Amino acid sequence: DTQMTQSPSSLSASVGDRVTITCRTSHSISSYLNWYQQKPGKAPKLLIYAASSLQSGVPSRFSGSGSGTDFTLTISSLQPEDFATYYCQQSYTTPWTFGQGTTVEIK
Amino acid sequence: QVQLVQSGAEVKKPGASVKVSCKTSGYTFNDHYLHWVRQAPGQGLEWMGWINPDNGGTKYAQKFQGGVTMTRDTSISTAYMELSSLRSDDTAVYFCARDLGGSNYHLDYWGQGSLVIVSS
């Protein structure tokens, strides 16, 4: 199985901060990497697919980059509604696997 | 608009089975794989498998082989996930999600989740 390692597991940040979350995979997945946001009690929401493509309707402050084994999700200016847990997920091979999540908390 | 509406919460005893439904609307049911993902309380997301609604083909994570069955009823655009021989660690929220497909696979629409509690 493809192991996904996200870092950090949690972070505290203020509104307006630039936030970066990284995801490393145990072997190359090309660009088959997606990012989801999940708020408590809700289903995950797709933010970024194919490593860097912004899902329709998602604010442009979210961006993704990377290929191979190293990927990054960046929030350019954190907004109050962005406090949530973020997961990376690979769709290169089954079983699909998710990172363990990064919780973004209010500082 | 695309919608995935799941069945309600269930409480089951260990050893029993549960069947969760996922009714879709707003798109052509046969055109997109449906995946099932679960989330234990306070934990992360775990992929269980997918079903191809067009032909009923399935792919399960090895962990769930022999315990999960994914089916569909194309006449009502609904997918099902049945989990048997339930254990307490199957207590989780179960999500269905649509795979947009194409050149990259990703889950663009999700059901609201179905809580399954396994308790004696």
Side-chain angles (χ1 to χ4, degrees):
Chain A
D1 297 2
T2 303
Q3 306 305 313
M4 314 286 287
T5 305
Q6 271 184 250
S7 61
S9 56
S10 65
L11 65 90
S12 296
S14 300
V15 172
D17 284 353
R18 182 181 182 89
V19 169
T20 298
I21 299 168
T22 64
C23 180
R24 177 164 289 175
T25 62
S26 58
H27 48 262
S28 177
I29 60 167
S30 184
S31 295
Y32 288 82
L33 192 284
N34 308 309
W35 290 97
Y36 300 87
Q37 175 195 66
Q38 188 180 32
K39 297 183 178 179
K42 299 295 187 181
K45 172 188 174 183
L46 178 67
L47 299 176
I48 301 287
Y49 63 94
S52 60
S53 295
L54 190 67
Q55 172 68 354
S56 175
V58 173
S60 59
R61 62 181 180 273
F62 291 93
S63 64
S65 65
S67 67
T69 61
D70 292 287
F71 301 88
T72 299
L73 172 70
T74 299
I75 309 171
S76 61
S77 177
L78 199 65
Q79 297 302 300
E81 60 268 30
D82 300 337
F83 292 95
T85 299
Y86 295 84
Y87 294 93
C88 59
Q89 174 255 320
Q90 65 82 18
S91 56
Y92 181 74
T93 186
T94 56
W96 287 14
T97 44
F98 290 86
Q100 79 277 18
T102 295
T103 300
V104 177
E105 300 170 325
I106 302 172
K107 182 183 284 185
Chain B
Q1 71 283 21
V2 174
Q3 287 190 306
L4 283 68
V5 179
Q6 298 183 224
S7 48
E10 304 249 22
V11 180
K12 296 291 184 180
K13 294 194 182 303
S17 297
V18 68
K19 191 171 186 177
V20 179
S21 67
C22 173
K23 182 168 179 58
T24 73
S25 60
Y27 73 97
T28 301
F29 181 67
N30 287 20
D31 284 356
H32 298 275
Y33 286 29
L34 283 166
H35 296 242
W36 291 89
V37 174
R38 77 177 185 180
Q39 186 170 40
Q43 302 301 308
L45 301 167
E46 182 176 30
W47 182 80
M48 300 179 68
W50 55 248
I51 182 167
N52 177 349
D54 193 38
N55 60 18
T58 55
K59 178 75 171 180
Y60 304 140
Q62 185 158 9
K63 172 178 180 176
F64 298 102
Q65 291 269 9
V68 71
T69 304
M70 296 178 190
T71 57
R72 92 288 189 220
D73 184 340
T74 58
S75 69
I76 55 172
S77 301
T78 300
Y80 303 91
M81 187 283 299
E82 184 170 20
L83 195 58
S84 61
S85 303
L86 289 168
R87 307 178 346 167
S88 58
D89 60 1
D90 291 315
T91 293
V93 176
Y94 290 78
F95 295 100
C96 61
R98 188 185 83 157
D99 184 348
L100 185 62
S103 59
N104 183 280
Y105 309 109
H106 50 277
L107 304 176
D108 64 342
Y109 286 93
W110 293 65
Q112 82 277 18
S114 298
L115 174 62
V116 175
I117 297 172
V118 183
S119 174
S120 55

